[in-house]
Amino acid sequence: MLRGEYHMRKNRLPRAVRVRPQMDPAVFFFSVSFLLGGIAGYFSCCGMGIDAEIRTYLTQYAEVLSSGGSVTAASALSVAAAYYRVPCMVFLCRSFRRAFYWHCGVFLFEGFLLSFAVSSLALALGQVGVLVSLCVFGVRYLFVLPVSLSLALCGRSSAESGSGRRMTRAGRKPETNRLRFIFVYPVILALGVMVELTLVPKLAAFALLHIS
């Protein structure tokens, strides 16, 4: 009798349902904004063209990069600013009222700047410019884009949890974990700065020597 009751109760218990992880729709809109900015940057660069002064500057930049010269304080600060610019903008936009639209604008602007820089190098230096762009911006955005997207999504999740009517102890725990994880991002970006200052010049020199 007891065994029968046990089986009846066991059959009445709801079975655990596996929930497949779904991508946040915001990732799609951020990606589209970045792509639209890239398209606008490309056509803007093609429309403006490259004058002789900019061509000379880009040529000198490629030569300095491929030569692997010593790292100066100015170059280190410039690279650090390039890495921390977008994540800091995304983090600051978290506090705005319409943070989602601000984030879309940040990714649109960054896509424009990236495409304009790559197009300028390609138009000024040809194949050499393409190789330099792949070495510099390819490595840089392997660090910057994931961190920026993660910060933007973390801001959305924290805003949604903060707008709820109830704040339970279980609801605070994931938010605390997310805030703790935010402190890992500067370390990741600092690692990217070190990689660009040490590895990218060697990579560019190797690419220009063996591919171009």
Side-chain angles (χ1 to χ4, degrees), residues 21-28:
Q22 297 181 352
M23 186 182 69
D24 194 323
V27 176
F28 172 76

Side-chain angles (χ1 to χ4, degrees), residues 151-199:
L151 276 173
L153 295 178
C154 184
R156 280 177 51 81
S157 59
S158 62
E160 290 174 357
S161 62
S163 62
R165 295 292 182 268
R166 295 184 303 174
M167 284 295 295
T168 62
R169 184 174 298 178
R172 292 193 191 100
K173 189 174 181 180
E175 178 63 21
T176 304
N177 293 335
R178 283 192 294 267
L179 291 176
R180 288 176 181 175
F181 191 68
I182 285 178
F183 293 102
V184 180
Y185 296 146
V187 179
I188 297 175
L189 295 174
L191 178 62
V193 172
M194 294 176 59
V195 169
E196 180 162 336
L197 290 175
T198 57
L199 181 62

